[in-house]
Structures are given as structure tokens and as C-alpha cells.
Amino acid sequence: MDTRIERITDTTEYGETLDAAARIILSGGLVVFPTETVYGLGGNGLLSDAARKIYSAKGRPSDNPLIIHIAEPRDAENYASTSEVYYRLADAFMPGPLTVIMKKRDCIPMSVTGGLDTVAVRCPSHPIAHALIEKCGVPIAAPSANISGRPSPTSAEYVVEDMNGRVDMIIDGGECEIGLESTIVKIDGNSLTLLRPGAITYDALCCVCENVKIAPAVLNKLAENEKPLSPGMKYRHYAPSSDFVLLDGEKRDALEFMKKEQIENNCAVLCYDEEFEYLNASLSISIGKENDLSTQAKRLFTALREADKLGANKIYAHLPTPTGLGLALYNRMIRAAAHTIMKV
Ligand code: AMP
Ligand code: MG
């Protein structure tokens, strides 16, 4: 398949690109578009066939459901059973990086929800995403635009790496502002369960809802035979192809260990800006200042892809502290490392 690649630099003037993209979506094709979290691989959320194409383009198991993207928070009414809690979340965080799981309505095909009777709904704030969904007039089902299992793409360069030839169009809107996928919560009556941490933090959710639980699989490996609350929890994700190992211990000890492994075993490291000079530059990728979690979130997936290209035997990184935005970093990193944590 020929993939049309279009760059949009001015979000006040889309020209013909968005009309063409909307025509593709409405006729059942696939368009990759930027959002504030990561790039999404979009198809018409009301068409079974579009969902099948998405699973096939990503190589994603079809029991791992898709998030539907809407233009306005109230559009959720058409596709899900909304409640007072939904509107509290919507007032606080939408449009933005929050996905809410609710009972689905019949118009959403089972192929979109991986056979579940619930649907995940998000209202993105990125102007290109918003304009595209509005123009289509249908919800856009969109997982992250990576080959299944690889790090999610945060710039068009990595979308092209994974998706060129597999989709009808790629819209290049520059770098994604947040760089990690949306926070996912499931509504159960008056309580919420956090299924995937993201830029909307646990503490922020607690300000809006009294009872917020964190699903155990956010922090720990699923037990053998445990049924995941979200199908995606059972798959390895975000992973570079080299072995990725997280170091747990005093920062100084971890740094010493990293340096030694670079010299003796040709290993690569993800480090903080402050550490870069001390380490071997050709085997080190900095993800930002130690206390700047937003920059770390923004750079993490790119750093994992770049570390892979260094041809190292292994990749090491510090184990983040799982508080605030650090919970999202922790969650992505333990999954990228397939829960391989080493004490130093
Ligand atoms: P991605 O599409 O790559 O952003 O991943 C979406 C995540 O949302 C996956 O981990 C899915 O398993 C999860 N998800 C989507 N819909 C549902 C749902 N109805 N119930 C539980 N998890 C869901
Ligand atoms: Mg994904």
C-alpha cells in the first residue's frame, strides 16, 4: 500500500490534508495522526472492518481493545453509558490525556472493544486530532501507532519507521507534548480503578473522586493465570529489542554499575542529564534532568528506540520512584523491561 505522508506545521490552516484524511477514515481506511500523548493509528470507530485493519496493521492481538476518540466530552453519550462521575472527570480533565472506560452502547462494534461490553473513550486536546475527529463526525478508534510490542511513537519519524506501507496516510504534526499514553480509568458506580497511569496522576484523580483504586498490575507483574482488568496488561509492551534491565538501589551505586558495564560489556544506559558527562557518551542517552519528570516522560520512548540502535548488549536504566508522574514512568519502564529489576 502507498502511504501518503503530510506535514502540518500551522494548525490554523490545514489546507486539503484534513479533508483527505477524513475521506479516508469515512471510507474505512487508516490515518495516523498526532495527539498530545503519542501518535494514534486511527480508523472509523463504528466500522468492524476498520478495527480489523487496525489490528492487522499493528500486528496487535484482536482481544486487546481500542480506545475511541471523540471531539467533545458530551459525545460520549452516543457510544457509552455516561454517569455523574464521568462528567466530573470530563469537567476536570477533558479535553486531555484521560481515557474513561464505561458500558458500551450497541453502535460500537465488538471488534473495537475486543469482545468486551465496555468501551474506552478519550477526548484529545491536540488541535489536529480534534479537528480530524470533528470533520469525520464519527468516533475514531485509535491505538498507539507502533508495531505491537514496540515503544509508542512520539514523533512522525518513528511512525514512518513502523507504519509506512501499512496505512493510507500519516499526518506529521511534530513532536507529541506529553510522550506517554493517556491515563486509563474504569468507572464502577462511584469509584474508579486506575488501569494505566499517565499525565493525569493518581493524586489529580483523587481530587475529583473519593474512591480511586490502583489496579495491582500497574505496579506488579500479573500473577500466573490472573485475569487482567485490561487486556493490554497481559502483553509485553514498550520494549526495545535488546534486553532492558532496571537498577534498584542508591543512585551513586547504580551510576557506578552503569559505567562499569559500559566499559566492560558494551552496555547502553538511559541516564539523567546530570550524569551524562561522567558516562561514556557513545553508549548513553539522557532522558532529562533527574527532577524533571515531564521531560523524562516526553523522551522515554524515543530513548528506548535510540538505545536499540546503539547495538549494545544490554540497556540499563534507573528504576523511577512511582509517585506523581513517576508512576507512569515506572509502569512503562517495568513493562519495557519485562519486570527485570536488579538490586545494586
Ligand atoms: P493503546 O491503544 O495502545 O493506547 O492501548 C489501549 C489500552 O487500553 C490497552 O491496554 C487496552 O487493553 C486498554 N483498553 C481499551 N479498551 C478497554 C476496555 N474496554 N476495558 C479495559 N481496557 C481497555
Ligand atoms: Mg499501545
Side-chain angles (χ1 to χ4, degrees), residues 38 58 60 63-69 99 101-102 112-114 116-121 142-146 152 181-182 184 186 195-196 228-233 235 237-238 335:
V38 301
K58 268 182 78 80
R60 176 169 174 141
D63 71 343
N64 191 3
L66 310 174
I67 295 172
I68 62 162
H69 294 71
T99 296
I101 295 175
M102 297 168 277
V112 168
T113 63
L116 300 174
D117 64 354
T118 51
V119 63
V121 181
S144 49
N146 50 286
S152 302
E181 306 86 346
S182 59
I184 302 182
K186 184 168 188 199
L195 301 182
R196 180 172 75 185
L229 291 172
S230 170
M233 287 170 171
Y235 297 109
H237 206 337
Y238 320 118
R335 295 192 57 196

Side-chain angles (χ1 to χ4, degrees), residues 30-86:
L30 303 183
V31 175
V32 175
F33 60 97
T35 82
E36 69 277 23
T37 57
V38 301
Y39 274 79
L41 165 55
N44 185 338
L46 301 179
L47 292 181
S48 278
D49 201 44
R52 275 192 287 275
K53 282 188 194 165
I54 290 173
Y55 292 120
S56 150
K58 268 182 78 80
R60 176 169 174 141
S62 59
D63 71 343
N64 191 3
L66 310 174
I67 295 172
I68 62 162
H69 294 71
I70 55 177
E72 305 298 331
R74 66 175 176 279
D75 294 346
E77 307 259 350
N78 301 324
Y79 314 117
S81 307
T82 52
S83 63
E84 194 262 329
V85 176
Y86 170 75

Side-chain angles (χ1 to χ4, degrees), residues 103-173:
K103 277 264 170 320
K104 81 172 193 74
R105 294 201 192 282
D106 291 343
C107 60
I108 300 295
M110 280 290 186
S111 53
V112 168
T113 63
L116 300 174
D117 64 354
T118 51
V119 63
V121 181
R122 175 160 117 77
C123 177
S125 64
H126 193 293
I128 296 175
H130 180 264
L132 178 63
I133 302 162
E134 198 169 48
K135 210 171 249 299
C136 289
V138 296
I140 298 187
S144 49
N146 50 286
I147 299 281
S148 201
R150 301 197 71 193
S152 302
T154 57
S155 73
E157 179 191 342
Y158 300 114
V159 173
V160 172
E161 206 171 271
D162 281 14
M163 288 298 154
N164 200 11
R166 293 170 177 255
V167 297
D168 299 284
M169 184 191 257
I170 294 171
I171 303 176
D172 175 354

Side-chain angles (χ1 to χ4, degrees), residues 47-338:
L47 292 181
S48 278
D49 201 44
R52 275 192 287 275
K53 282 188 194 165
I54 290 173
Y55 292 120
S56 150
K58 268 182 78 80
R60 176 169 174 141
S62 59
D63 71 343
N64 191 3
L66 310 174
I67 295 172
I68 62 162
H69 294 71
I70 55 177
E72 305 298 331
R74 66 175 176 279
D75 294 346
E77 307 259 350
N78 301 324
Y79 314 117
S81 307
T82 52
S83 63
E84 194 262 329
V85 176
Y86 170 75
Y87 279 102
R88 257 194 275 153
L89 292 167
D91 285 346
F93 305 118
M94 290 183 196
L98 179 70
T99 296
V100 181
I101 295 175
M102 297 168 277
K103 277 264 170 320
K104 81 172 193 74
R105 294 201 192 282
D106 291 343
C107 60
I108 300 295
M110 280 290 186
S111 53
V112 168
T113 63
L116 300 174
D117 64 354
T118 51
V119 63
V121 181
R122 175 160 117 77
C123 177
S125 64
H126 193 293
I128 296 175
H130 180 264
L132 178 63
I133 302 162
E134 198 169 48
K135 210 171 249 299
C136 289
V138 296
I140 298 187
S144 49
N146 50 286
I147 299 281
S148 201
R150 301 197 71 193
S152 302
T154 57
S155 73
E157 179 191 342
Y158 300 114
V159 173
V160 172
E161 206 171 271
D162 281 14
M163 288 298 154
N164 200 11
R166 293 170 177 255
V167 297
D168 299 284
M169 184 191 257
I170 294 171
I171 303 176
D172 175 354
E175 238 183 78
C176 299
E177 196 184 321
I178 295 171
L180 294 180
E181 306 86 346
S182 59
T183 300
I184 302 182
V185 294
K186 184 168 188 199
I187 299 182
D188 262 317
N190 277 327
S191 58
L192 289 184
T193 307
L194 176 63
L195 301 182
R196 180 172 75 185
I200 305 297
T201 61
Y202 172 76
D203 292 335
L205 292 167
C206 290
C207 293
V208 174
C209 195
E210 272 164 34
N211 187 5
V212 187
K213 288 179 287 209
I214 300 181
V218 166
L219 287 159
N220 299 301
K221 199 172 176 170
L222 273 177
E224 210 59 36
N225 297 325
E226 183 181 344
K227 188 172 182 303
L229 291 172
S230 170
M233 287 170 171
K234 63 178 187 262
Y235 297 109
R236 183 162 185 227
H237 206 337
Y238 320 118
S241 24
S242 325
D243 281 346
F244 182 44
V245 177
L246 297 170
L247 301 176
D248 182 17
E250 287 296 324
K251 218 176 54 265
R252 257 202 0 238
D253 297 337
L255 188 60
E256 283 306 317
F257 179 84
M258 286 174 169
K259 175 113 182 179
K260 189 163 159 283
E261 285 292 291
Q262 289 185 318
I263 296 168
E264 293 177 7
N265 293 318
N266 190 43
C267 292
V269 305
L270 306 191
C271 64
Y272 302 125
D273 286 357
E274 294 88 336
E275 301 171 331
F276 191 81
E277 266 199 11
Y278 175 73
L279 291 161
N280 175 339
S282 64
L283 285 170
S284 304
I285 294 176
S286 177
I287 57 170
K289 290 203 169 65
E290 189 186 345
N291 291 323
D292 183 358
L293 299 183
S294 304
T295 300
Q296 292 173 31
K298 194 168 174 162
R299 288 196 197 157
L300 176 66
F301 288 145
T302 296
L304 287 170
R305 282 180 185 253
E306 293 303 305
D308 241 358
K309 293 179 182 155
L310 297 177
N313 288 327
K314 260 188 197 167
I315 305 168
Y316 291 102
H318 296 284
L319 182 69
T321 308
T323 52
L325 184 56
L327 180 63
L329 283 160
Y330 182 95
N331 169 263
R332 302 310 189 277
M333 287 170 88
I334 54 169
R335 295 192 57 196

